Amino acid sequence: VEYAGTSGPLYAALPYANFFANGSYSTQMWQTSGLTQPWTRSVGAYSAIPIMLFDVDPQNPLHLLGVEQHPNTGATSVISNDGGSTWTPIPYATGMDHGFQSFQYSGVHFGAPGSNLAYACGTFGVARLSTLSNVWTILNGIPSGSTCTAMGVDQLATGTLYADTSSGLYKTNDGGTTWTLLFAHSGAFVSVIVDPTNGQKVFASAGLGISMRSTDAGNTWVQMPVSGPMAIQPGSPNILYAVTSTSLAMSTDSGLTWASTPSPYNFLQDLTITSSGVVVISTFFSSIVTFTPN
């Protein structure tokens, strides 16, 4: 599930919507103008391009970047300028496409506003896309062979990006030309997010293990008592949520303290937060559930 964070549709890609029903593979991409409104299927994504991962441009809610992982054709990156009705394929750089079964992509993210850049994260490391020329480039500076598991973009500083890899958490201030190792670790972060109103605050959330937070742009880190995919509430950056497979955790002090609530739903996978504060959560079995705080 993804949301531009300011306005526009809420999007959801349901990778296995038909798989369990009839054994076929057909990722469905849906959108709604509001949680009280009907969901409609993006025909382009459903009939031709099964989207596995995608991101919404925070400055343009109709500008989407997606990754297809199809069992017959392998991986393809695609871009849409009309909210998913039509998609344009973008050729990969050599080394970015290893086939469907490897599940080599961990995420795609647009860069800071005005940068005309986007990034992909996966077994190849980190790649950068020029959204003007639609050309991908695999970035050097992270040790060869390191798998990237999560990325976080500083929306206030063009070219500042955090990338978690199998060799540690890295940071770049020049769009990926050079990288600095912030710290090594043996686990993997599932979310790296930067406060969109304060680039000094960075959160790295582990799927299992130790999560970390920084209040000085990654120079120093302290542990957070939470795990799972994480998101910041638009307009209220001190409020964060994180999901495990069976619970939802909330912090109202920028990740310093957390309170967790068991969920009546199982297999929670990802989340986004609307501008009104509603938490929208996707589950493994292709359903969308919401949580509205008191």
Side-chain angles (χ1 to χ4, degrees):
V1 285
E2 292 286 350
Y3 176 66
T6 52
S7 62
L10 175 71
Y11 298 92
L14 306 180
Y16 302 106
N18 286 349
F19 183 81
F20 292 106
N22 56 25
S24 65
Y25 175 93
S26 181
T27 300
Q28 298 182 13
M29 189 165 184
W30 296 75
Q31 62 176 275
T32 179
S33 59
L35 292 174
T36 60
Q37 302 301 311
W39 288 80
T40 59
R41 191 172 62 202
S42 299
V43 175
Y46 177 70
S47 62
I49 303 172
I51 303 297
M52 292 289 291
L53 299 168
F54 70 101
D55 193 31
V56 185
D57 187 337
Q59 296 299 298
N60 180 359
L62 299 183
H63 189 201
L64 311 178
L65 174 65
V67 171
E68 169 205 13
Q69 297 228 32
H70 195 279
N72 298 322
T73 60
T76 304
S77 68
V78 288
I79 201 159
S80 174
N81 291 307
D82 55 13
S85 296
T86 60
W87 297 84
T88 300
I90 305 173
Y92 278 132
T94 301
M96 291 181 68
D97 185 359
H98 303 296
F100 171 76
Q101 292 299 328
S102 64
F103 288 96
Q104 72 270 27
Y105 288 86
S106 301
V108 291
H109 290 276
F110 281 97
S115 67
N116 298 314
L117 296 174
Y119 300 89
C121 178
T123 58
F124 47 83
V126 180
R128 182 177 61 210
L129 172 72
S130 167
T131 56
L132 296 178
S133 61
N134 283 351
V135 174
W136 284 103
T137 303
I138 294 182
L139 302 176
N140 298 315
I142 292 176
S144 177
S146 295
T147 294
C148 177
T149 59
M151 291 185 297
V153 174
D154 187 338
Q155 297 292 326
L156 301 177
T158 299
T160 297
L161 175 75
Y162 297 82
D164 183 55
T165 77
S166 51
S167 59
L169 182 66
Y170 288 80
K171 178 183 179 181
T172 178
N173 290 316
D174 55 16
T177 301
T178 59
W179 295 85
T180 299
L181 176 63
L182 299 178
F183 60 85
H185 64 90
S186 58
F189 295 125
V190 294
S191 293
V192 179
I193 56 177
V194 184
D195 185 333
T197 66
N198 181 357
Q200 297 294 303
K201 295 182 180 180
V202 188
F203 308 90
S205 181
L208 295 171
I210 299 173
S211 299
M212 307 291 286
R213 65 189 289 267
S214 173
T215 57
D216 56 10
N219 291 313
T220 60
W221 297 82
V222 295
Q223 294 184 17
M224 284 192 302
V226 72
S227 61
M230 185 180 297
I232 293 178
Q233 181 170 318
S236 301
N238 289 333
I239 299 178
L240 295 90
Y241 290 90
V243 291
T244 68
S245 62
T246 58
S247 66
L248 175 68
M250 177 183 182
S251 172
T252 59
D253 54 12
S254 292
L256 185 64
T257 60
W258 292 81
S260 183
T261 302
S263 169
Y265 307 97
N266 292 325
F267 305 106
L268 308 182
Q269 284 199 305
D270 199 5
L271 77 164
T272 192
I273 309 170
T274 70
S275 56
S276 62
V278 178
V279 185
V280 185
I281 304 168
S282 62
T283 75
F284 181 78
F285 292 109
S286 299
S287 62
I288 303 294
V289 297
T290 62
F291 171 81
T292 303
N294 294 328

